[in-house]
Amino acid sequence: MKHLATALGLAVTLPLAAVAECASVSAGGLTVTGAWSRATIGNERPAVFYVEIRNEGETADRLTGIDTPVAAMTMLHRTVVEEGVASMPHAEAVEIPACETVGLAPGSHHGMLMGLTAPLTEGESFPVTLQFERAGAVEIDTRVLSIRAQEAQCDAG
Amino acid sequence: MTLRRIRLVLWTLVAFALVGVLALQWAGRRPEPPQPPFRPDFALQDEAGRTYGMEDFRGSFALVFFGFTNCPDVCPTTMSEVAQVMDDLGPEADKVRPLFISIDPERDRRQGLAGYLAAFHPAILGLAGDGAATQAATESFKVHFGREEDPAAPDGYSMSHSPGLFLVGPDGEWLRQFPYETPAAEILADIQERI
Ligand SMILES: [Cu+2]
């Protein structure tokens, strides 16, 4: 009974948290913020992962992979439009140069979440662990926005 | 005397050359002769099995996209823009029909095209034919697509495709392309001007 109450409480607070501030996690010179995904219809199709990575340090870093309990398989991709044809080849890693902000964002790099364990529902959130070459593992809470969302929805940067 | 004559001849040639260059530039500025109207077409089915062709949309503008639903980045971005355009058209939305033509028809039919598209906007009509009809539709619209074998992708493959949006007029005539990432406001303004 107590567990049920806790679960219900969590279910209520998660959507509420979604309209507040975006989670922000720092590790070394890196700040990871504004993680979001789009709601999915069912769990057969791959979902997407977008995030912003600020490097305020003086050394470059690289994002080499992502991991999440909501997907059986994850991968870094890059959307490329070449001679009028769009494709999304694998990206071995995403370079994070010193003193720069790099986004996994629509039309550029994105995380692919394949083999979803359940559909992603708008208003919920799930953890994603980003693996950096230097800064190590950074876990961030990722908000599921509308399937029509085009960018992170944060109160303040 | 002879030298002066040669000089005169040479200068005359230079003058002719200059006139020629100017004439060519002027000719280059002239508008292209009008092209015959281009009317792309297709014969593809919706989820209920009804076959559609461009003649079914005569009288309204058609906003046509070629994509696939296992596409988590390019396709939702464009469908969101289409949905925004439809919302912002307000009472004029019934003059525009957005179409999503699947270039991955077998998988899209299996996973459900209509339910996926309705999540963006109820006006978007999803069409998915067989392989030959899909090929014919893309050739008619002069778009490219390909299947890329990829063991890491769902079902072992992914698709590459032209990511633009095509606007077809109420008489079935191809009007223009909106390249990938054209903002919804720009698409809206263009369509409103034509309405
Ligand atoms: Cu991808």
Side-chain angles (χ1 to χ4, degrees), chain A residues 77 88 110 112:
Chain A
H77 277 179
M88 42 174 203
H110 59 269
M112 284 282 278

Side-chain angles (χ1 to χ4, degrees), chain A residues 1-8:
Chain A
M1 206 55 199
K2 200 176 165 196
H3 285 297
L4 182 68
T6 315
L8 280 175

Side-chain angles (χ1 to χ4, degrees), chain A residues 4-157:
Chain A
L4 182 68
T6 315
L8 280 175
L10 203 67
V12 170
T13 47
L14 280 183
L16 282 180
V19 286
E21 258 174 45
C22 283
S24 176
V25 184
S26 293
L30 298 186
T31 301
V32 178
T33 183
W36 66 283
S37 181
R38 291 194 188 89
T40 64
I41 307 300
N43 62 349
E44 280 188 283
R45 301 179 178 96
V48 78
F49 170 72
Y50 298 122
V51 72
E52 190 180 292
I53 303 154
R54 270 203 312 271
N55 188 352
E56 280 152 346
E58 267 150 36
T59 40
D61 206 334
R62 301 170 85 219
L63 172 66
T64 54
I66 55 169
D67 196 19
T68 177
V70 305
M73 166 131 183
T74 59
M75 199 170 266
L76 294 171
H77 277 179
R78 187 165 64 95
T79 289
V80 180
V81 183
E82 242 170 32
E83 287 173 23
V85 175
S87 61
M88 42 174 203
H90 302 174
E92 189 106 333
V94 181
E95 306 293 330
I96 319 289
C99 306
E100 276 188 36
T101 298
V102 173
L104 268 59
S108 84
H109 284 100
H110 59 269
M112 284 282 278
L113 314 179
M114 297 169 278
L116 293 181
T117 52
L120 301 184
T121 308
E122 184 177 349
E124 289 179 351
S125 61
F126 61 89
V128 171
T129 303
L130 294 90
Q131 194 64 49
F132 293 101
E133 211 166 69
R134 299 179 68 97
V138 176
E139 187 183 292
I140 182 120
D141 203 36
T142 304
R143 291 163 47 184
V144 181
L145 306 181
S146 152
I147 196 168
R148 283 175 57 170
Q150 300 276 45
E151 57 190 356
Q153 285 148 24
C154 303
D155 275 358

Side-chain angles (χ1 to χ4, degrees), chain B residues 94-113:
Chain B
D94 60 352
K95 297 194 175 88
V96 180
R97 194 70 209 261
L99 307 177
F100 180 104
I101 295 178
S102 173
I103 46 113
D104 185 16
E106 201 187 313
R107 181 163 61 180
D108 279 345
R109 265 201 311 274
R110 175 161 52 84
Q111 296 183 349
L113 194 50

Side-chain angles (χ1 to χ4, degrees), chain B residues 8-18:
Chain B
L8 186 72
V9 169
L10 284 175
W11 277 116
T12 312
L13 282 175
V14 167
F16 270 113
L18 271 174

